[in-house]
């Protein structure tokens, strides 16, 4: 794979991943959405199908890593990708995540406006009926629609939050390394796409409750940057004080998973 193939494939694939994954978060969260309050099950399966679609689309070009943690693990894996390719993968993933997040905003433009001008949500008359959790989140620096773009903890405890992200990413990366790779062992295969998508659903249902399961630094960082840049009314903060956890946790988890794989499976 050439550097241009890798960059283009990862940009397109990660954009699709975030468009569909962020899209289901928007659908469940925003006012005037037909899927509002559809619940965590819809989000977990929405992200799983997003992974499936994105991998099948981008695998012929780049091997469909779509996740800096997966790329890191494949660089650490015996006979994995070359380290010189890692920055190319990461650049495409972050750019793609930003594009996907911007497309979610376009697709739900009216819903974002309706949500962020509702006094019960952003404050003002009637705000006393707003859930206490939403108030606490805003005080911590997270705006009322930040969850559409990136993750945040239910209980803000850095040690627990990073441990949750590490554990979830170890599960994801071990599944990719043992069951998901193509014949060359440097990207996801056809069957691997389905397996990985189902693993993502499982992680969301079982381990997603504490932090929203980023398990992917680009998936969190790229959309968080877009949230900070978009002209959303009353959008609040982007919670940069938490932003390092969904980046560091998955990378640590990927390194651990690659070490386990090299010792036990290679």
């Amino acid at each position: 794979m050439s550097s241009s193939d890798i960059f283009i494939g990862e940009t397109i694939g990660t954009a699709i991943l975030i468009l569909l994954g962020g899209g289901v978060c928007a659908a469940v969260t925003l006012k005037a959405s037909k899927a509002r309050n559809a619940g965590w099950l819809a989000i977990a399966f929405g992200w799983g199908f997003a992974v499936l679609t994105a991998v099948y689309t981008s695998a012929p070009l780049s091997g469909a890593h779509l996740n800096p943690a997966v790329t890191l693990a494949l660089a650490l894996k015996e006979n994995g990708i070359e380290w010189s390719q890692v920055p190319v993968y990461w650049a495409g993933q972050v750019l793609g995540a930003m594009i996907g997040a911007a497309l979610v905003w376009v697709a739900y433009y009216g819903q974002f406006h309706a949500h962020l001008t509702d006094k019960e949500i952003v404050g003002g008359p009637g705000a006393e009926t707003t859930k206490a959790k939403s108030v606490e989140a805003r005080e911590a620096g997270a705006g009322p629609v930040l969850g559409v773009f990136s993750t945040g903890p239910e209980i803000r405890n850095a040690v627990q939050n990073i441990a949750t992200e590490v554990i979830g990413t170890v599960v994801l990366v071990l599944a990719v390394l043992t069951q998901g790779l193509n014949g060359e062992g440097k990207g996801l295969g056809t069957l691997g796409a389905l397996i990985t998508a189902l693993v993502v659903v499982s992680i969301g249902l079982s381990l997603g409750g504490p932090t929203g399961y980023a398990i992917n630094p680009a998936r969190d960082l790229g959309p968080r940057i877009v949230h900070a840049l978009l002209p959303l009314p009353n959008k609040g903060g982007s919670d940069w004080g938490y932003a390092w956890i969904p980046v560091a946790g998955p990378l640590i988890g990927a390194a651990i998973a690659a070490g386990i794989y090299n010792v036990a499976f290679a």
Side-chain angles (χ1 to χ4, degrees):
M1 292 178 289
S2 68
S3 293
S4 60
D5 284 344
I6 291 171
F7 182 77
I8 293 170
E10 292 298 290
T11 300
I12 293 172
T14 313
I16 292 172
L17 171 67
I18 302 304
L19 171 61
L20 299 181
V24 72
C25 292
V28 171
T29 301
L30 300 178
K31 289 182 68 69
S33 164
K34 293 181 182 296
R36 193 179 189 204
N37 297 323
W40 191 249
L41 195 64
I43 289 175
F45 275 95
W47 275 103
F49 291 137
V51 169
L52 189 68
T53 306
V55 171
Y56 279 139
T57 302
S58 61
L61 279 176
S62 65
H65 297 188
L66 313 180
N67 182 340
V70 171
T71 300
L72 176 62
L74 287 173
L76 292 168
K77 168 183 172 288
E78 292 184 9
N79 301 315
I81 64 170
E82 299 175 8
W83 280 100
S84 62
Q85 295 176 323
V86 171
V88 182
Y89 274 101
W90 286 4
Q93 290 155 3
V94 173
L95 176 61
M98 293 178 69
I99 293 171
L103 291 175
V104 172
W105 170 64
V106 172
Y108 281 88
Y109 181 85
Q111 282 73 24
F112 275 113
H113 181 77
H115 195 84
L116 289 172
T117 54
D118 188 303
K119 294 301 182 182
E120 290 191 4
I121 293 168
V122 300
E128 61 274 10
T129 63
T130 303
K131 293 181 180 178
K133 174 175 166 282
S134 299
V135 175
E136 291 172 1
R138 288 200 297 276
E139 289 175 349
V145 297
L146 181 59
V148 173
F149 294 89
S150 53
T151 62
E154 290 297 295
I155 296 174
R156 195 167 288 260
N157 181 309
V159 174
Q160 178 199 338
N161 300 153
I162 200 165
T164 301
E165 289 295 329
V166 168
I167 293 167
T169 308
V170 168
V171 173
L172 171 65
V173 173
L174 273 179
V176 169
L177 294 178
T178 57
Q179 303 294 328
L181 298 181
N182 56 25
E184 295 180 353
K186 298 181 179 181
L188 272 74
T190 302
L191 180 59
L194 177 59
I195 293 170
T196 303
L198 293 174
V199 170
V200 169
V201 173
S202 178
I203 293 169
L205 294 176
S206 301
L207 299 173
T211 63
Y213 72 116
I215 59 175
N216 181 338
R219 169 264 177 274
D220 194 274
L221 180 60
R224 196 181 297 269
I225 293 171
V226 170
H227 176 270
L229 296 175
L230 282 176
L232 294 165
N234 304 312
K235 67 180 179 181
S238 301
D239 199 5
W240 289 107
Y242 179 79
W244 68 275
I245 289 177
V247 173
L251 293 177
I252 294 169
I256 294 170
I260 294 171
Y261 178 83
N262 287 336
V263 170
F265 295 95

